[in-house]
Amino acid sequence: MTNQILQQQIAYYRARANEYDQWFYRLGRYDRGEQLNQRWFKEVDIVKQGLQQIVQAEEILELACGTGI
């Protein structure tokens, strides 16, 4: 991977960071209503609980994860 490609990827994700937060937290145009939003956050909790059970979960690297939430 060249430095130019890496810099392009960084710029792309910085430009979209706010949109990723809105999507994750179901804000604005990403709000799907109370029932679907609750379902989303319950699923997020299931994933978080699963990650907590992995040894050294704090050392997991997710590439292209938006803002890193």
Side-chain angles (χ1 to χ4, degrees):
M1 176 177 297
T2 67
N3 187 48
Q4 179 183 7
I5 292 172
L6 182 59
Q7 293 306 314
Q8 289 173 344
Q9 289 178 332
I10 290 169
Y12 172 83
Y13 285 106
R14 283 185 178 152
R16 307 256 337 252
N18 189 46
E19 183 178 347
Y20 281 108
D21 285 348
Q22 291 175 8
W23 175 84
F24 184 84
Y25 290 113
R26 299 303 195 237
L27 302 172
R29 69 183 177 141
Y30 302 102
D31 185 339
R32 299 295 181 248
E34 187 175 341
Q35 184 178 8
L36 290 177
N37 290 347
Q38 285 180 357
R39 180 177 170 185
W40 165 256
F41 289 112
K42 285 180 183 178
E43 291 174 359
V44 168
D45 286 338
I46 291 169
V47 171
K48 285 181 180 181
Q49 290 172 17
L51 287 173
Q52 293 298 323
Q53 295 176 9
I54 297 174
V55 176
Q56 298 178 333
E58 67 278 356
E59 295 181 14
I60 294 173
L61 174 63
E62 179 183 357
L63 300 176
C65 59
T67 58
I69 295 174

